[in-house]
Amino acid sequence: MTGDTLAARPGASAAASWRIRLNGHRMRVGAMALLAAVAYAVLGLVKLASFRATTFDLVIFDQTVRNYAAFRPPHVPVLGMFHGRGMEYLQLADHFSPIYALLAPLYWIHDGPETLIVAQAVLFAAAIPFLWRYTRRVLGVVPAYLVSAAYALSWPVAQAVAFDAHEVMFVPVLTAIMIERYHAGRTLPAFLAMLALLLVKEDMGLMVAGVGLCLVVMGDRWRGVLCAMLGIGAVLLTRGLVTSVFGGESRDFWAYGHLGADIPGAILGIMRDPLAALLLPFSEEAKVDTLFLLAWPTLMLCLLSPLSLAALPHVLERMLSDRAQWWQADFQYAAFTVVILFCAGVDGLSRLLRRLERSDDERRSSAGESEASRSGRDHKHAALKLAWSVAACAIALTLVPKFALDQLYHPAFYKEPKAAAAAEAVSKVPSGVTVEAANSIGPALTSRTTVLLWSPTPHGAPWVVADTARWEYPFGSFDDQLAKVNELQGQGYVKVFDRDGYVVLRRALS
């Protein structure tokens, strides 16, 4: 095509230029997501290879997906025996997470916990393109890159990918699709993503109810009411009926004994002392720290957006509970709401700028100022968008050394002095057997044996791999582990390996 032809068709030239720019953005955003996925995968795979992954929870989900891949019910012997409910205990009785079945085909390619770790890394990174598109539409191109980088480096994602694999891996990408597609006017994919959240965990109905509240506040009342009713109904159905059908018990999920013995009792407890209930989310220093850390990456602007209402029920579920690990920033729980809060920060800034714009328009209208002054205001707002995005990215960077991604650039992370001894201990256990393994050893055995957690309660497995050199969950102390090894030997187990604290025992043949 000649230059004259292009000049005669300016519309076609502009469209071609836009396509080139769009393809360039796709490549850059794709590269960012790929780099994030690689970093997350390296973090998880190194921990697995150096025996720093754990039976609780990596083996639980490995057994789940392996059974799905073999077209069997998702039995989790490691969890069933730990709770005294047998080898055929279903994962759905512990957490309603049928979405794990989607990972089953990956186990046809590689059958092992490494697959879960890589899948989790990819799913967390997959939220980046949708977050970029949403931010670009609201704030512009450069802020979109900066906010996406802030998410990729964020502490909730870092803590989640560093702690084995969990159902939370599905939530960031689903919430990103839900928010971005709804904002783009594509309600069907948005609501399909929202419905998929209900397959992630039994409490995701709370998030769906929060989405409903958000929609009501934003003016989409009918859809909002339907979402709120759907979310509350899903929680009641899964916790009250579905999990019990699969063999679970309601007491397994109740973490509010300080408020009451059950939901009605908790409601009565709150009504008796509403002030105490109102202050409960701020009753511990760890709670306040976590709440601050959730909002600080957006410079608190997430609090200006109704989108934050979608995260509110899940955050309250954590902060009102009696389980200390739910309050803390050390585990994976904050990753459930990280995308929502980043999108709320973007929306909060946009709402703040619109408020300032209306105020300026009213003042300039009364003063009769020129259009040129409006142009200056637009430049100022563009600068504010850029400044906020730079600050959000800078905050994410400053928090990296305090959380799990910090390990990636320390050489010591890639070295584990006892890894050779642990690998040799694992090699002593034959394939196809049932083995009680220390919490840090189980992930290395799960792809070729039936792993149970080595604990104070004996399960009679023919093989035991113990660790007597460091504390292992669920023992109360290091001395308890030593005593347990001696007890097993007194019961007829024979020591076949002992090095650097790792002890392999085999039950003597009668």
Side-chain angles (χ1 to χ4, degrees), residues 65 69 99-108 115-116 119 123 169-170:
V65 179
I99 200 167
Y100 273 119
L102 295 178
L103 301 181
L106 300 179
Y107 267 55
W108 304 339
T115 298
L116 282 180
L123 284 167
M169 69 174 79
F170 297 97

Side-chain angles (χ1 to χ4, degrees), residues 320-354:
L320 293 174
S321 76
D322 57 14
R323 299 184 183 179
Q325 67 268 30
W326 288 12
W327 316 333
Q328 298 167 5
D330 297 333
F331 301 103
Q332 76 277 11
Y333 304 107
F336 283 97
T337 55
V338 60
V339 164
I340 296 173
L341 294 176
F342 268 112
C343 289
V346 170
D347 182 56
L349 175 62
S350 176
R351 289 172 181 273
L352 178 62
L353 293 177
R354 287 200 300 271

Side-chain angles (χ1 to χ4, degrees), residues 278-306:
L278 188 65
L279 296 176
L280 194 55
F282 312 99
S283 60
E284 299 283 344
E285 184 178 353
K287 294 182 181 181
V288 176
D289 289 344
T290 300
L291 288 171
F292 175 78
L293 283 170
L294 286 171
W296 175 235
T298 68
L299 280 77
M300 304 296 180
L301 291 188
C302 60
L303 302 178
L304 299 180
S305 170

Side-chain angles (χ1 to χ4, degrees), residues 58 61-62 65 103 107 112-120 165 169:
L58 187 55
F61 301 124
D62 173 74
V65 179
L103 301 181
Y107 267 55
E114 300 86 356
T115 298
L116 282 180
I117 290 171
V118 173
Q120 176 171 264
M169 69 174 79

Side-chain angles (χ1 to χ4, degrees), residues 37 96 109 141 154-155 168 177 199 229 269 315 403 405 419 492 495:
F96 184 71
I109 301 170
V141 171
S154 64
W155 69 267
V168 69
I177 292 171
L199 304 178
M229 292 174 61
V315 172
F403 293 97
L405 289 180
K495 185 183 295 185

Side-chain angles (χ1 to χ4, degrees), residues 222-484:
W222 283 110
R223 288 196 184 105
V225 170
L226 288 174
C227 288
M229 292 174 61
L230 174 64
I232 294 171
V235 171
L236 294 176
L237 181 64
T238 53
R239 286 192 166 175
L241 178 61
V242 174
T243 50
S244 62
V245 168
F246 290 117
E249 297 182 15
S250 58
R251 61 182 174 86
D252 295 338
F253 308 104
W254 190 246
Y256 309 93
H258 56 301
L259 296 176
D262 50 25
I263 292 177
I267 293 173
L268 288 174
I270 291 173
M271 291 174 63
R272 280 194 296 267
D273 195 350
L275 180 59
L278 188 65
L279 296 176
L280 194 55
F282 312 99
S283 60
E284 299 283 344
E285 184 178 353
K287 294 182 181 181
V288 176
D289 289 344
T290 300
L291 288 171
F292 175 78
L293 283 170
L294 286 171
W296 175 235
T298 68
L299 280 77
M300 304 296 180
L301 291 188
C302 60
L303 302 178
L304 299 180
S305 170
L307 279 175
S308 59
L309 294 172
L312 181 61
H314 194 272
V315 172
L316 287 178
E317 180 190 26
R318 296 173 58 193
M319 298 301 154
L320 293 174
S321 76
D322 57 14
R323 299 184 183 179
Q325 67 268 30
W326 288 12
W327 316 333
Q328 298 167 5
D330 297 333
F331 301 103
Q332 76 277 11
Y333 304 107
F336 283 97
T337 55
V338 60
V339 164
I340 296 173
L341 294 176
F342 268 112
C343 289
V346 170
D347 182 56
L349 175 62
S350 176
R351 289 172 181 273
L352 178 62
L353 293 177
R354 287 200 300 271
R355 192 175 302 170
L356 293 174
E357 184 177 335
R358 285 193 298 269
S359 177
D360 285 349
D361 284 344
E362 292 172 1
R363 181 175 57 82
R364 288 189 172 118
S365 176
S366 62
E369 294 184 11
S370 66
E371 192 67 31
S373 63
R374 288 192 175 89
S375 176
R377 179 196 63 194
D378 291 341
H379 286 300
K380 182 174 72 173
H381 285 190
L384 287 173
K385 292 176 183 178
L386 180 61
W388 176 83
S389 305
V390 169
C393 192
I395 288 171
L397 281 169
T398 60
L399 289 176
V400 165
K402 301 180 184 299
F403 293 97
L405 289 180
D406 174 70
Q407 301 171 91
L408 289 174
Y409 51 81
H410 290 293
F413 174 63
Y414 301 91
K415 302 173 184 177
E416 173 53 50
K418 293 177 55 180
E424 188 175 356
V426 165
S427 71
K428 301 298 181 183
V429 180
S431 298
V433 302
T434 298
V435 54
E436 293 179 52
N439 196 34
S440 61
I441 295 294
L445 286 163
T446 184
S447 60
R448 62 183 182 85
T449 67
T450 300
V451 171
L452 309 179
L453 182 65
W454 181 53
S455 69
T457 303
H459 301 304
W463 289 83
V464 174
V465 182
D467 186 350
T468 62
R470 60 180 175 181
W471 175 80
E472 294 274 8
Y473 176 83
F475 286 89
S477 68
F478 174 75
D479 291 337
D480 291 342
Q481 294 166 223
L482 292 172
K484 188 62 183 178

